[in-house]
Amino acid sequence: MKLDDEIKRRRTFGIISHPDAGKTTLTEKLLLFGGAIQEAGAVKSNKVKKGATSDFMEIERQRGISVATSVLGFEYKDIKINILDTPGHKDFAEDTYRTLTAVDSVIVVIDVAKGVEQQTEKLVEVCQMRNIPIIVFINKLDREGKDAVELLDEIEIKLGLKVTPLSFPIGIGYDFKGIYNIWEQNINLFTGDPKKDIEETIEIHDLNSSVLKKIIGATTADTFKEELDLVQGVYPDFNYELYRSGKLHPVFFGSALHNFGVRELLDCFVKIAPPPEAKTSSTREIKANEENFSGFVFKIHANMDPKHRDRLAFIKVVSGTFKRNSPYLHVRKSKQMKFSSPNAFFAEKKEIVDISYPGDIVGVHDTGNLKIGDTLTEGEEILFKGIPSFSPQHFKYINNADPMKTKQLEKGIKQLTDEGVAQLFVLEINGRKVIGTVGALQFEVIQYRLEHEYGAKCTYEDLKVYKSCWIDPGNDNSENFKEFKRLKRKYLARDKENQLVFFADSAFTLEMAIKTYPEINFQEISEF
Ligand code: G4P
């Protein structure tokens, strides 16, 4: 098959939601449709189980299964689909943000009863920063929930998404009769039997026909028709270009648990969701169908087996073809690398592959050369930008608790920060090391992994930092910047890339600094 055809048939996407909205259940049902798994329950949830003895041990358990669920690849109607896993736990939100740089589109799952929740808001905000096309799936329609129109409003207001419903429920909760598919012009009747694979579908091209009244009763049919008229009057029709440019967002209703509305979602998804597209690099836009390979690392996963301390780096292929044993340029290190056993991911396994195409995710074994954000090419010196580093929320001094193991500690910290578990800062004034994390749990994870994987011990010391900001001085030599550096020298640090960082100890300090030094740019996100 030609490169262009391979590109056209690829859909690489992520499913995002607030925990418990039904992401795992929906993923599983999509895999069932693709024939990639045979029964429900095969996909392990990556969320922290309720009532687990310790959140932190639960995180370790998750890490064990998350290689298997990192990328779930399967075929459906001759389309190669790759679902990229996004961690459910809020302390690992940064992993999710980075994964979102490797998806070409997203499905957002919303619980019909809970509506838009906090984490959904954050994740959608990140998607919108990148204009990622979004489809919304409102889940758990078998339960009592909010009114459909109320939910559409909530999505527009809280998430700032312009919506176009492509299906609409007939009744809700106890009165739920089924779903009218605006996209396909048919009705699925709900029987409420979770064992039933696919519900009965009835073609209805004319809602005035007596067939609808016969099926759902005259009164329900009339109310539904009125509601649908209203909805179609208020919301715009689907528009392909607007969806693809992240400006209009189709909405589907259904119940993942009951496999209801899922096929409709998938059928529409494979038709409208974008294949891999061009990506901006440091020098030029790289088109997916260029002959030469290029790609970037968006995730690194340490091996869980203590005997094999290598790591798996996940590369998204941006252009050309990635071939086994071909020499590629590791641009940051100006170094040639060859990969003898690159993995491709399928639903329940990974396999060594000879060739991968744009949109595909390749897992390569690495002993410490690669880090998140690295670009690989066939020789061209380009860098893909846009992998975000967010200002951490928690900060602690890290101390060496075993002076005999200094080297191990340094190696451990370097590798864990390469993996994106935490960020490392070095204070300008005294060279002390500070660990910054998005979630509080990571401190325990780091301590545990340093000891078990690197044989090093560390202790922490509290450090009062409200927020850290990357500093772009505008003009390095300005008197103002010199004054800022002099007055704030106790609060300045360098990150791993040697970029200057300001530790503000309170919201007030940060506000004052921003006001006093308007020419200095204080950034809460750094892209590398
Ligand atoms: P998550 O990955 O987004 O965190 O959610 P997950 O799929 O694990 O679903 C969370 C809970 O919601 C699960 O129940 C799941 O069975 C239920 N659920 C998912 N989709 C639907 C749906 O369409 N209707 C209804 N009624 N429930 C749904 P649980 O009791 O927490 O877990 P489990 O013991 O059933 O696995």
Side-chain angles (χ1 to χ4, degrees):
M1 209 184 279
K2 284 208 278 292
L3 179 60
D4 272 320
D5 296 330
E6 289 288 0
I7 294 169
K8 258 190 233 148
R9 69 179 209 101
R10 271 164 174 78
R11 303 285 181 276
T12 300
F13 78 107
I15 304 180
I16 55 175
S17 73
H18 191 89
D20 268 347
K23 179 167 72 81
T24 312
T25 314
L26 178 64
T27 307
E28 203 162 71
K29 294 298 152 79
L30 296 177
L31 294 178
L32 279 167
F33 275 114
I37 55 170
Q38 266 59 53
E39 55 182 337
V43 177
K44 304 262 186 315
S45 168
N46 69 0
K47 73 184 161 185
V48 174
K49 277 191 187 156
K50 291 174 209 115
T53 39
S54 129
D55 258 9
F56 147 67
M57 284 316 288
E58 193 45 32
I59 297 286
E60 275 300 288
R61 182 192 67 86
Q62 266 186 34
R63 214 158 61 79
I65 57 173
S66 75
V67 165
T69 59
S70 281
V71 185
L72 297 163
F74 64 99
E75 299 235 348
Y76 179 73
K77 296 192 169 168
D78 206 29
I79 297 288
K80 171 80 200 297
I81 297 176
N82 294 311
I83 307 181
L84 305 196
D85 189 31
T86 52
H89 197 285
K90 71 171 180 0
D91 282 11
F92 290 79
E94 212 176 346
D95 266 3
T96 300
Y97 300 151
R98 285 190 293 251
T99 298
L100 290 178
T101 62
V103 301
D104 299 311
S105 71
V106 145
I107 293 180
V108 180
V109 184
I110 289 174
D111 184 321
V112 70
K114 294 190 178 140
V116 171
E117 295 175 85
Q118 196 193 9
Q119 225 164 306
T120 324
E121 284 186 52
K122 275 195 169 175
L123 293 167
V124 167
E125 202 183 310
V126 175
C127 292
Q128 285 195 288
M129 273 159 56
R130 315 205 126 71
N131 298 322
I132 299 174
I134 300 171
I135 295 179
V136 179
F137 182 72
I138 299 181
N139 191 27
K140 307 196 185 180
L141 261 281
D142 55 302
R143 283 194 184 164
E144 288 298 327
K146 296 188 182 184
D147 173 72
V149 176
E150 191 190 325
L151 273 168
L152 294 175
D153 272 355
E154 197 176 316
I155 293 168
E156 291 216 327
I157 294 163
K158 282 197 177 168
L159 298 179
L161 299 181
K162 189 111 204 79
V163 298
T164 169
L166 290 190
S167 78
F168 205 74
I170 307 171
I172 203 151
Y174 184 72
D175 284 328
F176 182 50
K177 298 272 189 310
I179 287 173
Y180 176 64
N181 299 300
I182 300 171
W183 174 257
E184 293 179 356
Q185 295 196 334
N186 58 30
I187 281 183
N188 274 15
L189 291 179
F190 183 66
T191 59
D193 178 0
K195 289 191 197 77
K196 235 177 159 181
D197 262 359
I198 299 169
E199 302 287 333
E200 196 180 348
T201 304
I202 299 162
E203 298 287 327
I204 303 247
H205 295 285
D206 177 11
L207 286 177
N208 290 314
S209 81
S210 56
V211 185
L212 183 66
K213 289 189 176 159
K214 232 190 242 164
I215 305 167
I216 59 173
T219 329
T220 316
D222 287 342
T223 321
F224 172 68
K225 234 174 58 58
E226 271 171 31
E227 226 176 24
L228 191 68
D229 278 348
L230 191 84
V231 165
Q232 292 189 304
V234 170
Y235 296 101
D237 287 343
F238 175 73
N239 176 298
Y240 198 70
E241 278 75 38
L242 289 178
Y243 159 65
R244 285 268 180 109
S245 55
K247 293 192 175 69
L248 184 66
H249 311 281
V251 178
F252 283 87
F253 291 82
S255 163
L257 188 67
H258 290 271
N259 223 346
F260 198 75
V262 178
R263 183 195 58 76
E264 289 71 19
L265 170 74
L266 183 57
D267 280 344
C268 177
F269 172 82
V270 293
K271 283 206 186 96
I272 67 170
E277 284 170 349
K279 192 168 170 70
T280 312
S281 79
S282 50
T283 54
R284 63 183 188 91
E285 196 177 71
I286 308 293
K287 294 205 175 64
N289 64 358
E290 291 184 19
E291 209 175 299
N292 287 343
F293 160 75
S294 68
F296 66 95
V297 178
F298 67 95
K299 176 176 180 143
I300 289 190
H301 202 296
N303 200 331
M304 294 296 286
D305 177 355
K307 289 191 210 92
H308 299 99
R309 277 288 165 230
D310 62 345
R311 313 182 296 177
L312 205 57
F314 292 76
I315 298 168
K316 161 103 185 263
V317 181
V318 174
S319 68
T321 50
F322 178 100
K323 294 186 201 77
R324 183 150 87 107
N325 282 323
S326 277
Y328 293 124
L329 175 67
H330 178 343
V331 180
R332 177 176 58 88
K333 289 202 159 179
S334 298
K335 185 176 166 172
Q336 293 283 336
M337 288 180 91
K338 260 189 194 178
F339 303 97
S340 59
S341 49
N343 286 288
F345 300 89
F346 303 95
E348 285 178 295
K349 54 184 188 312
K350 51 185 173 49
E351 266 173 19
I352 292 176
V353 278
D354 291 325
I355 187 158
S356 301
Y357 298 92
D360 283 342
I361 309 299
V362 188
V364 299
H365 292 276
D366 170 53
T367 48
N369 285 309
L370 294 168
K371 66 176 190 176
I372 290 171
D374 278 344
T375 303
L376 293 168
T377 69
E378 241 165 85
E380 190 173 345
E381 295 197 359
I382 51 160
L383 289 169
F384 289 113
K385 292 247 167 195
I387 298 226
S389 221
F390 288 81
S391 169
Q393 314 272 316
H394 306 269
F395 299 82
K396 283 181 198 288
Y397 285 118
I398 183 163
N399 299 321
N400 187 359
D402 182 353
M404 305 293 287
K405 299 282 168 64
T406 306
K407 268 198 180 152
Q408 286 86 334
L409 184 77
E410 274 175 9
K411 183 174 175 206
I413 294 177
K414 181 191 170 294
Q415 295 210 346
L416 292 181
T417 48
D418 281 355
E419 255 182 64
V421 180
Q423 292 175 49
L424 176 72
F425 304 97
V426 178
L427 280 179
E428 288 266 272
I429 193 155
N430 56 15
R432 285 194 73 180
K433 290 193 170 84
V434 173
I435 294 279
T437 66
V438 171
L441 268 181
Q442 268 101 332
F443 289 108
E444 280 181 82
V445 171
I446 291 166
Q447 207 163 28
Y448 177 88
R449 289 189 57 190
L450 282 174
E451 187 167 347
H452 289 83
E453 293 172 28
Y454 301 93
K457 285 200 172 115
C458 75
T459 56
Y460 297 117
E461 232 176 282
D462 283 340
L463 174 68
K464 191 178 167 243
V465 177
Y466 158 71
K467 212 171 245 174
S468 66
C469 292
W470 283 272
I471 298 292
D472 174 2
N475 174 4
D476 269 354
N477 288 319
S478 76
E479 285 308 315
N480 268 346
F481 184 54
K482 282 183 192 152
E483 178 191 286
F484 170 78
K485 283 217 293 194
R486 187 164 43 80
L487 293 178
K488 302 287 181 197
R489 68 181 184 284
K490 267 169 64 188
Y491 304 99
L492 293 178
R494 296 272 167 187
D495 73 359
K496 273 182 80 175
E497 314 300 318
N498 207 32
Q499 293 188 83
L500 195 61
V501 175
F502 172 51
F503 284 167
D505 56 6
S506 69
F508 179 72
T509 319
L510 183 58
E511 208 179 300
M512 285 311 289
I514 293 171
K515 264 198 192 139
T516 318
Y517 303 101
E519 70 287 0
I520 298 179
N521 202 352
F522 296 81
Q523 293 165 337
E524 288 182 37
I525 301 174
S526 158
E527 292 199 348
F528 58 94

